[in-house]
Structure formats: structure tokens, C-alpha cells
Amino acid sequence: MATDEEKGHGTEPGPGEKGAPDMSSSETSLQHATRSNKGGILAKLRDMEARLDAKLGIESEAIVRKCPDDKKDVSWMEELTMALLWASGTMNTSCFATGFLGWGFGLSLKQAVLITIFVSILGGVVTGFCATFGPAMGLRQMSVSRYSFGWWPNKVVAFLNCIQQMGWAAVSCITGGLALTAVSDGRVSLILGIILLAVVALFISFIGLNAILVYERYAWIIFFVIFMIIFGETGKYADSTTPPSITGSTQSGAVLSLIAIVYGSSSPWCTTASDYYVHYRADVSRVKVFLMTSFGIAIPTSIGMLAGCVVASALNSQTAWRDTYNNDGLGYLIQDMLYPRGFAKFLLTLLVLSGINTNVISIYSASLSFQQLARPLALIPRFVWTLVSFACILALAVGGREQLNTYLQNFLSILGYWCTSYAVILFEEHFVFRKGNFENYDLEGWNDPARLPLGIGAAVAFGLGVVSWCMGMNQTWFMAPLAKVIGENGGDVANELTFVVTALGYLPARYLELKHVGR
């Protein structure tokens, strides 16, 4: 195992080496001081990281570009992980809880089912496209977007991704904690349940990518079986005949809002997808990567949400279930609707573990994003940022535990907004300005501001997208002007508006940037 000094700390080549970045004197001095001062805290931490990697396989130098020579052939099972990874991360109690929202909005079961299936596919496609950059470039997702957003604007994107990943994990902790409280008959508090879920996920994320891929490759099987049992035991109570309780423009607004929420459940993975593909060879089929990722997200997400849709529709006739759901929450409802009771408790205990799957992915990707906020932060080892992410997730989960449905509705919708802008900008940069050819990327300059775009075009388009969110979003705490005109309760059109405005804004802005700046 090479030492930190031999690997150059993995942040960039040393002065005079091929591909060496043109750094400012302050940046050079900072890194030189970190490497040469053996008594400094950063040097000690990175030495510790190197020792942990050598002895225990704790991943080090995580954000460094993986060059073609560093990659090895993978087996068909490892390629299948492109889909199974997301199956484990998405088939969970959070998606099950989201499936109740269509019923809460007053929509029929048929409407909720159709929206769930097709919008989950749409969100999966967005992530599938972003995933194709990982093998070809050998870079993590936040490094990939530097070629569109540039050095400085991309830091804003990385910060948003930190918030997003920690928020996903917090939602997962809350829903899993509710289930754990129910299965213990209240003896385990929600706060303790949240802590237990976060700690287990921390352990796996702490080790790094190899442990994550092995764990997620098999974890989905348990939860697939559980959701099949839920379908089998509750399907006969599904209410497919009751029409929507709302009509006209109010119904249209509810449909648009549900679309935003479902899309916000599957598309936000686009900001992390490449994090888990850097070890694949650059010549792996892009079509394979795209399809396995897209449906690896869409199908499991739909399974969990459709189970929620079915159970929610049953609340129309099963008054005891409805009372349990309204008064005691989701965990106790699962325990009431499954039988026999001992078996229900067993399934609920297993279902608690689903929150760990999402947390593992979120904690890992958040730690990588923290490292890309600033050069000095990149020198702090990944395992330290893993601990920081863990602490933030606990704070979010404990603080948001009381209003689960409101938390989900608001948070997931907001996530979809900026991910739409992100994916559109990457798409147009790749196919319009780089002609869909990875040879048009200066991959050796991934960590050099002088060899990356300034990001002016992306910043302009992204800013226009933010304005679009504010004009079209429909949240319980804010109803935008355009959302207000759709029915009594409003309709969320932020994603649609953001897509159009970002797509139209990036093309001329990026063209002018290339014309006058040249990169």
C-alpha cells in the first residue's frame, strides 16, 4: 500500500508532473504544509486514513480520479450491482409512506398507481443518464459536474448535494424508527430507533465503496419479499372503485403535486450515481449502464410506493386501520394490517433495516461532496466527513420526526427541483457542446480550475431554474404564484417550468461563455 506521500495525497499531481494544475501560491502552500508538517492534524489524519486502508480496507483517496489503468474487469454479478444497488436503496419504508400521499390528496387508486409507475420511470431515466459518466470518466458525480458548472459554481451544487443526501437519510431514519417503535410496543423510543439505524449505516459507509456494493447487492431481497407479503395480505382490501374525492382543476392540481413528489423520490439519485460506477471499465456499454440504473431505480421505487397506494386505498373501508394510521402512525399500521401478529412483528423488525440501505448510500455520497466544497476540506479524510454526515443526519431526523408526511411532501418536492436543472445542464453540455464524445473532456484537468469551464453559463441557467422553482412550487409553507391558479389547493408545476427554463437558458449562456472565455 502506497503511503500518502507516494500518492501525493490524491488531490492532484505535484508541481512539474504531467497534468499538474496551475494552483495559486496559497493553495500550493496549504498542501505543501499539510504534507510536510508531520505534526499537523491534517497530516496525522491522512496517515491514519492510509493505515486504515492498508490494514482494514477503509477506503482512502476517495475522490481521486480512477484512471483506466486502475480499473479491472468485473464479473457479471458485479455488473448486475448497477441495478441491485438502487433496489436496496429505494425499496424501503420511505417509499411506502410516500405511496399514501395520493390518497391523502383525494386521488383514486388508479390515478395514484399510474402516476407512481410512469413518473418513477421518468425519475429513474434522469439518474440513469448521469450514471453513464462514472465509468467513462472515472470521476465521482460532483467531480463530473465540474465540466459543466466549473470550479466555483460547482461548490454550490456540492453543498446542495450534502443537504440532499443527509435529508434522505433523515427521512429514512424517521420511517424506520417509527417501525421499530411499533414492533417494540413503544419500549424503544423513536429517537433511539433513529440512532440505531444511523449507527449501523455509519459502520458500512465508514468502510467505503467495496463494503457498500457487497451489502447493497443482496439487501434488497429481504424487502422485496416483505412487500410481496404486504400485497398478498392487503390486496383484497384495495379500493379500486371509489372515484376521486376532488374534481376539475383541484384534481389537476393534486395530480401535478403528486407527480412532483414521486419524481422527487427517484430523480435525486442523479447527483450521486457516478459515485458508485468509477470502478467499471470505461468501455462498458453506456446503454447497459443507463438501462440497469434507470429500471434499477424505477421498479423498486414503484414496488414500495404501490404497496403504500394499495394500503392507503384500503383505509376507505378499513376504519380500524385508518384510526391506527391517523393516531399512531405508519409502524403501528403495518403491525395491525399483517397477520398473524407474531409474524407481523417479525416482518416489521426486518422492515426497520430498510432505512439502513438508504442511509449507507447517503452518508457515503455526502462525505464525498463535503470533500469537494474547498481544497482544504479535500485534505480532510473521507472517514472524518462520514462522521460529520452522521452527526448532521441525527440532528435532522430528531428535529423532523413529529411531522412525517409534511416532511416528506415538502422535502422530496424540493429535491426534484434542483436535480432537474442539474441533469438538463449536464445533458446539454455533453451532447450539444461536447458532441457526446468523452474525448472532448480534459480528464487530467478535473482538479484544476484553470482547465475547467468558469461555469458562467451553468450559473445563469441554474439561477433561472431557481426562479422557476419559486414561481411554480406548491408546498404547505409556500404556494407560488403559478401554483395558486390551479384548483383550490394549488398544483406543483415547478419541475416542468424548471426543465423548460433551464434548457432554454443554458444554450445561449454557455455559447457566449465559450465564445468570450474559450472554456
Side-chain angles (χ1 to χ4, degrees), residues 10-11 62-68 71 130-147 271-280 282 368 372 422 438 441-448 452:
T11 54
I63 64 171
V64 178
R65 177 179 170 240
K66 304 300 183 288
C67 298
K71 301 181 181 184
C130 292
T132 60
F133 287 84
M137 300 177 73
L139 292 170
R140 310 300 178 133
Q141 195 67 56
M142 289 297 102
S143 296
V144 168
S145 54
R146 287 177 176 177
Y147 291 89
T271 61
T272 66
S274 292
D275 294 350
Y276 305 94
Y277 291 76
V278 293
H279 61 295
Y280 292 111
L368 298 180
Q372 301 191 61
Y422 179 87
F438 284 104
Y441 291 83
D442 179 11
L443 296 181
E444 290 186 358
W446 72 274
N447 204 34
D448 182 1
L452 294 168

Side-chain angles (χ1 to χ4, degrees), residues 187-347:
R187 288 188 293 271
V188 176
S189 69
L190 177 55
I191 293 179
L192 179 58
I194 289 171
I195 293 174
L196 290 174
L197 290 171
V199 167
V200 176
L202 169 66
F203 175 76
I204 300 172
S205 300
F206 189 88
I207 298 175
L209 182 60
N210 289 334
I212 292 172
L213 294 177
V214 172
Y215 172 79
E216 302 283 13
R217 188 180 300 155
Y218 304 104
W220 65 274
I221 299 173
I222 296 174
F223 311 107
F224 175 77
V225 172
I226 291 174
F227 280 116
M228 292 301 102
I229 292 173
I230 291 176
F231 280 119
E233 293 198 4
T234 64
K236 60 185 177 182
Y237 302 110
D239 183 1
S240 60
T241 58
T242 300
S245 60
I246 50 178
T247 57
S249 59
T250 300
Q251 182 183 121
S252 299
V255 168
L256 290 169
S257 295
L258 184 59
I259 287 174
I261 293 170
V262 176
Y263 174 78
S265 296
S266 51
S267 65
W269 300 109
C270 73
T271 61
T272 66
S274 292
D275 294 350
Y276 305 94
Y277 291 76
V278 293
H279 61 295
Y280 292 111
R281 292 176 56 90
D283 58 0
V284 66
S285 169
R286 294 191 70 199
V287 174
K288 179 191 296 184
V289 174
F290 173 77
L291 291 177
M292 292 184 73
T293 303
S294 298
F295 288 100
I297 290 174
I299 294 175
T301 299
S302 296
I303 289 174
M305 287 189 184
L306 290 177
C309 293
V310 168
V311 174
S313 71
L315 301 184
N316 292 332
S317 58
Q318 301 299 307
T319 56
W321 290 3
R322 185 168 65 244
D323 291 340
T324 299
Y325 177 70
N326 292 332
N327 298 327
D328 301 318
L330 186 63
Y332 286 97
L333 172 62
I334 294 173
Q335 189 171 271
D336 281 358
M337 69 188 188
L338 298 180
Y339 53 87
R341 188 173 181 82
F343 183 58
K345 281 182 172 290
F346 172 71
L347 293 183

